[in-house]
Amino acid sequence: MDTDEITRIEDIGRRVLDSIRGAVVGMDGPLTVALAAILAGGHVLFEDVPGLGKTLAARSIATALGLDFRRLQCTPDMLPGDVTGSYVYAPATGEFRFRPGPIFTGLLLADEINRTTPKTQSAMLEAMAERQVTVEGDRFPLPAPFHVIATSNPIEYEGTYALPEAQLDRFMVRLSVGYPSAEGETRIILDRVQRQTPDAPVETVIDAEGLLALQAAVERIHVDPDVARYCVDLVRATRAATNVAVGASPRGSQALVLVGRALAALDGRSYVRPDDIKRIAEPVLAHRLTLTPQAWAQGVDPASIVAAVVAQTPVPPTIAGTPSAASAGTPAR
């Protein structure tokens, strides 16, 4: 892969993250993984307590990437047609015409997705997997690029509907934001006081066509067979792990490779290292595990299972046949 192309991806990625950090404080790690997931063509689920800036982060990502942005506030009375769109009667022509729903956009924010019913949640499944919606037997392709960023509240269960495993698997990564540090929380307050407005400015770095070009460039990042096998070994280990009823599917191992490539590009490398895979193993795999009833009742955290799998799975000692690694004179550990 051309060095100038890698440098360009690294530079644009840094500028995008810098632009988002102007509005979002203390989320560097999750934002980097979220950007990597989008560069890999995937969808992102932010799951954490309210008030941590998940919605602001999604809106800031859309603005920095120059994507058309639509926000869908999920509620229990929402219908599938409210997401996909529906046919409406046009009195002038006496015909029914399709009126696209909010899902026809560059980046859709499904806010509090677990507050709407499973029937409406499933309306997003086809769109997330196949970049299209089907309404009354008619197929409507979605614009490219198309990405979903959803938020979910894990601490409140009354009036909510847990996402089924099939839909969780459609998200390339699930991220937890966590509370900011004392310094970060102070900065949030002082930044708001200084702005004198609740709106935080975010600079647009690229546009939709530029994002498509970056995604195409990420597809050319080198993946050594040893790294691919390492991803497979990690996923296969989840299927045999204690307290796991159903482990991650091949979609999980593929997601490890795809997000790993994007992380490598953001780091200015044309090849993937095992360290990239370790870094994103938890956000890529934890939400794909179905625990046994006993483990669920005992409050076992899927993230701890993934961490144990990563610790126990042998890492490829070197990445043979990687020109970029060899030219750098550094084995990719």
Side-chain angles (χ1 to χ4, degrees):
M1 189 175 184
D2 187 75
T3 304
D4 292 340
E5 194 172 31
I6 283 293
T7 303
R8 179 173 174 271
I9 298 174
E10 181 185 17
D11 177 64
I12 293 178
R14 177 184 50 77
R15 289 164 52 201
V16 167
L17 291 172
D18 287 344
S19 177
I20 297 172
R21 291 188 190 106
V24 182
V25 177
M27 292 174 57
D28 288 1
L31 286 175
T32 301
V33 176
L35 177 59
I38 290 176
L39 290 180
H43 310 287
V44 180
L45 174 63
F46 281 108
E47 186 174 85
D48 219 318
V49 298
L52 297 181
K54 301 185 295 295
T55 302
L56 175 61
R59 185 183 297 112
S60 300
I61 290 172
T63 301
L65 295 177
L67 298 177
D68 292 333
F69 176 76
R70 301 288 296 274
R71 181 178 183 272
L72 192 64
Q73 182 61 54
C74 297
T75 57
D77 60 348
M78 183 177 293
L79 300 175
D82 296 328
V83 179
T84 62
S86 59
Y87 281 94
V88 296
Y89 181 70
T93 61
E95 300 176 345
F96 284 90
R97 294 183 177 178
F98 179 69
R99 178 177 293 174
I103 204 166
F104 286 84
T105 187
L107 193 149
L108 174 70
L109 170 61
D111 213 1
E112 296 185 295
I113 191 173
N114 61 331
R115 289 196 177 277
T116 194
T117 61
K119 184 176 182 179
T120 304
Q121 291 173 3
S122 66
M124 302 182 192
L125 287 177
E126 180 185 14
M128 295 172 67
E130 302 177 30
R131 301 311 203 261
Q132 67 175 33
V133 298
T134 302
V135 179
E136 297 186 14
D138 295 326
R139 173 185 175 274
F140 298 94
L142 293 170
F146 167 74
H147 299 278
V148 173
I149 294 182
T151 68
S152 178
N153 180 356
I155 64 170
E156 192 173 6
Y157 297 100
E158 185 174 353
T160 63
Y161 305 86
L163 274 70
E165 286 78 4
Q167 186 164 347
L168 279 174
D169 201 39
R170 296 301 198 279
F171 290 100
M172 188 167 279
V173 295
R174 182 178 65 178
L175 300 170
S176 178
V177 177
Y179 288 110
S181 63
E183 294 76 11
E185 195 164 352
T186 303
R187 182 185 162 192
I188 292 173
I189 297 172
L190 294 179
D191 285 352
R192 170 63 181 88
V193 171
Q194 185 177 11
R195 287 197 310 268
Q196 300 182 13
T197 174
D199 299 324
V202 177
E203 177 189 359
T204 298
V205 177
I206 58 173
D207 55 15
E209 289 73 19
L211 176 59
L212 288 174
L214 288 184
Q215 291 174 337
V218 168
E219 291 285 347
R220 295 190 288 273
I221 296 293
H222 176 80
V223 179
D224 191 88
D226 284 346
V227 173
R229 181 54 190 262
Y230 178 55
C231 295
V232 171
D233 289 344
L234 286 174
V235 169
R236 291 177 64 87
T238 67
R239 302 169 193 166
T242 305
N243 295 322
V244 174
V246 181
S249 71
R251 184 180 286 155
S253 53
Q254 187 176 40
L256 283 174
V257 171
L258 296 179
V259 182
R261 286 193 312 195
L263 271 184
L266 291 174
D267 198 34
R269 283 180 282 107
S270 61
Y271 59 94
V272 182
R273 300 187 308 198
D275 284 347
D276 299 320
I277 306 304
K278 287 183 176 182
R279 181 178 176 185
I280 46 97
E282 180 184 326
V284 168
L285 296 180
H287 64 289
R288 303 175 193 270
L289 306 184
T290 301
L291 303 186
T292 63
Q294 296 83 356
W296 182 84
Q298 294 170 4
V300 175
D301 185 5
S304 64
I305 297 176
V306 174
V309 164
V310 170
Q312 295 167 7
T313 303
V315 179
T318 59
I319 305 302
T322 304
S324 298
S327 62
T330 302
R333 299 292 298 180

